[in-house]
Amino acid sequence: MANDFLINDPGNARATVLLAHGAGAPMDSAAMEAITDALVGQSIKVARFEFSYMAARRTEGGRKPPPRAERLLPEYLESIKALNCVGPLVIGGKSMGGRVATMVADECHEHGQINGVLCLGYPFHPPNKLTNLRTAHLAELNTPTLIVQGARDPFGTQEEVLEYDLSPSIELEWLPDGDHDLKPRKRVTGLTQADHITTMARLVSNWIDRIA
């Protein structure tokens, strides 16, 4: 994997967030750009990277599918090492990127490499496959973790997730009527995706102040 980071630094950052993309969109997608801008607006430095399968799409074209999440763990660990962050570091990502981050978190936290994990739209299960859960490791997670989830996310709605056995180290913040991209229906809530992303950034900022 090439450690080519996209770094957005507000200049007065009190912490850094390392973000990986979701399964289907790159690190510079519109959603990732909006998330980054909102976090930078909260005086948080953001470093984004791509897994090798996604980076290959830029050079080879096509839609190379993602490998199993377990195969991406070494790439995430390599990115943490290559970033060589000074100061508080939170790792995470959108959807799959956040899931992979939770899978390496405890190892990194135990070695003092990271302060926490941020998941934006955690993929608790594939859409319409409610029994195919991706939560076993979340019951034992020791690293401080924040999951910001849309309440009607098809990868895990509020009603579903509140029934799961999750570690007390995990904090859940629900965005009303949000989907997997944190987008609500304006006719239902009077809110926009931009509103929810602004709220997400504020929640992340407050959480970082507590854990870092």
Side-chain angles (χ1 to χ4, degrees):
M1 181 191 68
N3 290 301
D4 295 326
F5 296 103
L6 273 181
I7 296 179
N8 295 78
D9 190 344
N12 60 342
R14 63 189 189 279
T16 298
V17 174
L18 177 63
L19 287 179
H21 53 83
M27 64 180 174
D28 57 355
S29 68
M32 290 288 282
E33 291 284 356
I35 289 165
T36 296
D37 289 346
L39 292 174
V40 170
Q42 293 288 332
S43 300
I44 298 168
K45 180 179 177 180
V46 179
R48 288 172 279 170
F49 76 97
E50 285 182 348
F51 296 113
S52 57
Y53 83 89
M54 183 63 72
R57 293 183 182 181
R58 297 182 185 273
T59 56
E60 301 170 10
R63 295 279 298 179
K64 188 175 183 180
R68 292 178 60 86
E70 291 78 7
R71 294 183 59 188
L72 297 173
L73 306 187
E75 294 192 33
Y76 210 120
L77 291 169
E78 182 184 340
S79 290
I80 295 169
K81 182 178 179 180
L83 185 62
N84 194 26
C85 180
V86 177
L89 174 63
V90 169
I91 64 171
K94 186 177 186 301
S95 192
M96 182 195 71
R99 179 188 175 200
V100 176
T102 64
M103 296 168 77
V104 302
D106 279 353
E107 174 185 347
C108 297
H109 191 248
E110 289 169 6
H111 289 89
Q113 294 174 286
I114 68 169
N115 296 78
V117 182
L118 171 64
C119 300
L120 303 174
Y122 188 88
F124 289 96
H125 57 73
N128 301 316
K129 296 182 179 180
L130 305 186
T131 60
N132 189 7
L133 293 177
R134 299 158 172 165
T135 58
H137 69 293
L138 298 182
E140 306 297 331
L141 191 65
N142 292 317
T143 306
T145 299
L146 176 64
I147 299 176
V148 183
Q149 194 89 352
R152 62 181 177 95
D153 190 332
F155 289 82
T157 67
Q158 185 171 5
E159 183 179 5
E160 294 162 0
V161 174
L162 291 178
E163 298 296 321
Y164 298 159
D165 180 19
L166 302 179
S167 164
S169 69
I170 297 174
E171 298 182 36
L172 279 160
E173 293 285 356
W174 294 98
L175 299 179
D177 199 60
D179 63 11
H180 196 52
D181 290 325
L182 311 182
K183 183 178 180 180
R185 294 167 292 187
K186 190 172 183 179
R187 71 180 186 277
V188 174
T189 64
L191 300 171
T192 66
Q193 183 180 31
D195 292 328
H196 271 357
I197 289 176
T198 297
T199 298
M200 173 277 299
R202 186 174 66 252
L203 292 168
V204 172
S205 178
N206 292 339
W207 172 73
I208 285 177
D209 283 343
R210 287 190 280 111
I211 69 163

